[in-house]
Structures are given as C-alpha cells and as structure tokens.
Short mmCIF file of all heavy atoms in Angstrom, two decimals:
data_model
loop_
_atom_site.label_atom_id
_atom_site.label_comp_id
_atom_site.label_asym_id
_atom_site.label_seq_id
_atom_site.Cartn_x
_atom_site.Cartn_y
_atom_site.Cartn_z
N THR A 1 -80.82 36.87 161.19
CA THR A 1 -80.84 36.43 159.79
C THR A 1 -81.34 37.55 158.89
O THR A 1 -81.97 38.52 159.33
CB THR A 1 -81.74 35.21 159.61
OG1 THR A 1 -83.10 35.59 159.85
CG2 THR A 1 -81.36 34.08 160.56
N GLN A 2 -81.11 37.38 157.60
CA GLN A 2 -81.60 38.34 156.61
C GLN A 2 -83.12 38.38 156.62
O GLN A 2 -83.72 39.47 156.50
CB GLN A 2 -81.08 37.96 155.23
CG GLN A 2 -81.54 38.89 154.12
CD GLN A 2 -81.00 38.46 152.75
OE1 GLN A 2 -80.01 37.75 152.67
NE2 GLN A 2 -81.65 38.89 151.69
N ASP A 3 -83.78 37.23 156.75
CA ASP A 3 -85.24 37.20 156.78
C ASP A 3 -85.79 38.02 157.94
O ASP A 3 -86.79 38.74 157.79
CB ASP A 3 -85.73 35.75 156.90
CG ASP A 3 -85.57 34.98 155.60
OD1 ASP A 3 -85.39 35.61 154.55
OD2 ASP A 3 -85.63 33.74 155.64
N GLN A 4 -85.16 37.92 159.11
CA GLN A 4 -85.62 38.69 160.27
C GLN A 4 -85.43 40.18 160.05
O GLN A 4 -86.29 40.99 160.40
CB GLN A 4 -84.87 38.24 161.53
CG GLN A 4 -85.24 36.85 162.01
CD GLN A 4 -84.35 36.36 163.13
OE1 GLN A 4 -83.16 36.69 163.19
NE2 GLN A 4 -84.90 35.56 164.02
N ALA A 5 -84.29 40.56 159.47
CA ALA A 5 -84.03 41.98 159.19
C ALA A 5 -85.05 42.53 158.21
O ALA A 5 -85.58 43.65 158.38
CB ALA A 5 -82.62 42.15 158.66
N GLU A 6 -85.36 41.76 157.17
CA GLU A 6 -86.34 42.21 156.19
C GLU A 6 -87.75 42.26 156.80
O GLU A 6 -88.54 43.14 156.46
CB GLU A 6 -86.31 41.30 154.98
CG GLU A 6 -85.03 41.41 154.16
CD GLU A 6 -85.07 40.55 152.91
OE1 GLU A 6 -86.17 40.13 152.51
OE2 GLU A 6 -84.00 40.29 152.34
N LYS A 7 -88.04 41.33 157.68
CA LYS A 7 -89.34 41.32 158.36
C LYS A 7 -89.53 42.58 159.18
O LYS A 7 -90.60 43.22 159.15
CB LYS A 7 -89.46 40.09 159.25
CG LYS A 7 -90.77 40.00 160.02
CD LYS A 7 -90.79 38.74 160.90
CE LYS A 7 -92.09 38.64 161.71
NZ LYS A 7 -92.09 37.42 162.56
N PHE A 8 -88.49 42.98 159.92
CA PHE A 8 -88.60 44.20 160.71
C PHE A 8 -88.79 45.42 159.80
O PHE A 8 -89.60 46.30 160.10
CB PHE A 8 -87.36 44.41 161.59
CG PHE A 8 -87.38 45.74 162.30
CD1 PHE A 8 -88.13 45.90 163.45
CD2 PHE A 8 -86.68 46.83 161.79
CE1 PHE A 8 -88.20 47.14 164.08
CE2 PHE A 8 -86.73 48.06 162.42
CZ PHE A 8 -87.49 48.21 163.57
N HIS A 9 -88.04 45.46 158.70
CA HIS A 9 -88.18 46.62 157.81
C HIS A 9 -89.59 46.71 157.25
O HIS A 9 -90.14 47.82 157.14
CB HIS A 9 -87.18 46.53 156.66
CG HIS A 9 -87.32 47.66 155.68
ND1 HIS A 9 -86.98 48.95 155.99
CD2 HIS A 9 -87.82 47.68 154.41
CE1 HIS A 9 -87.24 49.73 154.95
NE2 HIS A 9 -87.75 48.99 153.99
N ARG A 10 -90.19 45.58 156.90
CA ARG A 10 -91.58 45.61 156.39
C ARG A 10 -92.53 46.14 157.46
O ARG A 10 -93.43 46.94 157.16
CB ARG A 10 -92.00 44.21 155.95
CG ARG A 10 -91.36 43.73 154.66
CD ARG A 10 -92.07 42.50 154.11
NE ARG A 10 -92.02 41.37 155.04
CZ ARG A 10 -91.04 40.47 155.06
NH1 ARG A 10 -90.04 40.56 154.20
NH2 ARG A 10 -91.08 39.46 155.92
N ARG A 11 -92.33 45.70 158.69
CA ARG A 11 -93.20 46.19 159.77
C ARG A 11 -93.04 47.68 159.98
O ARG A 11 -94.02 48.41 160.19
CB ARG A 11 -92.88 45.45 161.07
CG ARG A 11 -93.40 44.02 161.12
CD ARG A 11 -93.32 43.48 162.53
NE ARG A 11 -93.78 42.10 162.62
CZ ARG A 11 -93.82 41.40 163.74
NH1 ARG A 11 -93.38 41.96 164.87
NH2 ARG A 11 -94.26 40.16 163.75
N LEU A 12 -91.80 48.16 159.93
CA LEU A 12 -91.55 49.59 160.09
C LEU A 12 -92.20 50.37 158.96
O LEU A 12 -92.87 51.39 159.20
CB LEU A 12 -90.04 49.84 160.13
CG LEU A 12 -89.60 51.30 160.12
CD1 LEU A 12 -90.03 51.99 161.41
CD2 LEU A 12 -88.08 51.41 159.94
N HIS A 13 -92.01 49.91 157.74
CA HIS A 13 -92.57 50.61 156.58
C HIS A 13 -94.09 50.63 156.63
O HIS A 13 -94.73 51.66 156.36
CB HIS A 13 -92.07 49.93 155.30
CG HIS A 13 -92.33 50.74 154.07
ND1 HIS A 13 -93.29 50.41 153.15
CD2 HIS A 13 -91.74 51.87 153.60
CE1 HIS A 13 -93.29 51.29 152.17
NE2 HIS A 13 -92.36 52.19 152.41
N ASN A 14 -94.69 49.50 157.01
CA ASN A 14 -96.15 49.44 157.12
C ASN A 14 -96.68 50.35 158.22
O ASN A 14 -97.74 50.97 158.08
CB ASN A 14 -96.61 48.00 157.38
CG ASN A 14 -96.41 47.11 156.17
OD1 ASN A 14 -96.31 47.61 155.04
ND2 ASN A 14 -96.36 45.81 156.38
N ALA A 15 -95.93 50.44 159.32
CA ALA A 15 -96.35 51.33 160.42
C ALA A 15 -96.34 52.79 159.96
O ALA A 15 -97.25 53.56 160.31
CB ALA A 15 -95.42 51.14 161.62
N LEU A 16 -95.35 53.16 159.16
CA LEU A 16 -95.30 54.53 158.64
C LEU A 16 -96.44 54.79 157.67
O LEU A 16 -97.05 55.88 157.68
CB LEU A 16 -93.96 54.78 157.96
CG LEU A 16 -92.73 54.84 158.89
CD1 LEU A 16 -91.45 54.77 158.08
CD2 LEU A 16 -92.76 56.11 159.73
N LEU A 17 -96.76 53.81 156.83
CA LEU A 17 -97.87 53.98 155.87
C LEU A 17 -99.21 54.11 156.60
O LEU A 17 -100.05 54.93 156.21
CB LEU A 17 -97.90 52.79 154.91
CG LEU A 17 -96.77 52.69 153.88
CD1 LEU A 17 -96.93 51.42 153.05
CD2 LEU A 17 -96.75 53.92 152.98
N ARG A 18 -99.41 53.30 157.64
CA ARG A 18 -100.65 53.42 158.42
C ARG A 18 -100.77 54.78 159.06
O ARG A 18 -101.85 55.41 159.05
CB ARG A 18 -100.71 52.32 159.48
CG ARG A 18 -101.12 50.96 158.95
CD ARG A 18 -101.49 50.02 160.09
NE ARG A 18 -100.35 49.74 160.95
CZ ARG A 18 -99.50 48.75 160.78
NH1 ARG A 18 -99.66 47.92 159.75
NH2 ARG A 18 -98.50 48.56 161.61
N ALA A 19 -99.68 55.26 159.63
CA ALA A 19 -99.71 56.57 160.28
C ALA A 19 -99.98 57.69 159.27
O ALA A 19 -100.64 58.68 159.60
CB ALA A 19 -98.38 56.81 160.99
N GLN A 20 -99.51 57.51 158.05
CA GLN A 20 -99.72 58.52 157.02
C GLN A 20 -101.18 58.61 156.60
O GLN A 20 -101.70 59.70 156.33
CB GLN A 20 -98.84 58.19 155.80
CG GLN A 20 -99.16 58.95 154.53
CD GLN A 20 -98.79 60.42 154.62
OE1 GLN A 20 -98.04 60.83 155.49
NE2 GLN A 20 -99.32 61.22 153.70
N THR A 21 -101.88 57.49 156.55
CA THR A 21 -103.24 57.46 156.00
C THR A 21 -104.34 57.52 157.06
O THR A 21 -105.50 57.73 156.71
CB THR A 21 -103.43 56.19 155.16
OG1 THR A 21 -103.14 55.04 155.96
CG2 THR A 21 -102.50 56.21 153.95
N GLN A 22 -104.02 57.31 158.34
CA GLN A 22 -105.07 57.30 159.35
C GLN A 22 -105.55 58.72 159.64
O GLN A 22 -104.82 59.70 159.48
CB GLN A 22 -104.56 56.65 160.64
CG GLN A 22 -103.50 57.44 161.38
CD GLN A 22 -102.88 56.64 162.52
OE1 GLN A 22 -102.77 55.42 162.47
NE2 GLN A 22 -102.48 57.34 163.57
N SER A 23 -106.80 58.82 160.04
CA SER A 23 -107.39 60.14 160.31
C SER A 23 -107.07 60.64 161.71
O SER A 23 -106.96 61.84 161.93
CB SER A 23 -108.91 60.07 160.13
OG SER A 23 -109.47 59.06 160.97
N GLU A 24 -106.88 59.70 162.66
CA GLU A 24 -106.59 60.12 164.04
C GLU A 24 -105.09 60.36 164.21
O GLU A 24 -104.27 59.90 163.42
CB GLU A 24 -107.07 59.06 165.03
CG GLU A 24 -106.36 57.72 164.96
CD GLU A 24 -106.99 56.78 163.94
OE1 GLU A 24 -107.80 57.25 163.13
OE2 GLU A 24 -106.65 55.58 163.97
N PRO A 25 -104.71 61.10 165.26
CA PRO A 25 -103.28 61.37 165.52
C PRO A 25 -102.51 60.08 165.81
O PRO A 25 -103.09 59.05 166.16
CB PRO A 25 -103.31 62.27 166.76
CG PRO A 25 -104.70 62.82 166.82
CD PRO A 25 -105.59 61.78 166.23
#
C-alpha cells in the first residue's frame, strides 16, 4: 500500500538523519 511505502521512506530518511548527527561511526 501507499501507507507502507511512505512508512519505509520515513524510516530510511530518519536513519540517514541519525547517522548524520551521531558522534560515533
């Protein structure tokens, strides 16, 4: 469904943002 596709995209985007701001590798 569209909701599932959008849910995955949010998780992917949030994972990239966390990786950008975290101090550890």
Side-chain angles (χ1 to χ4, degrees):
T1 67
Q2 180 180 338
D3 286 343
Q4 290 172 328
E6 292 184 17
K7 179 180 179 181
F8 174 80
H9 177 70
R10 288 194 299 271
R11 285 193 182 180
L12 173 66
H13 193 253
N14 290 339
L16 290 167
L17 290 178
R18 281 194 296 270
Q20 167 70 16
T21 56
Q22 68 189 31
S23 56
E24 65 273 14

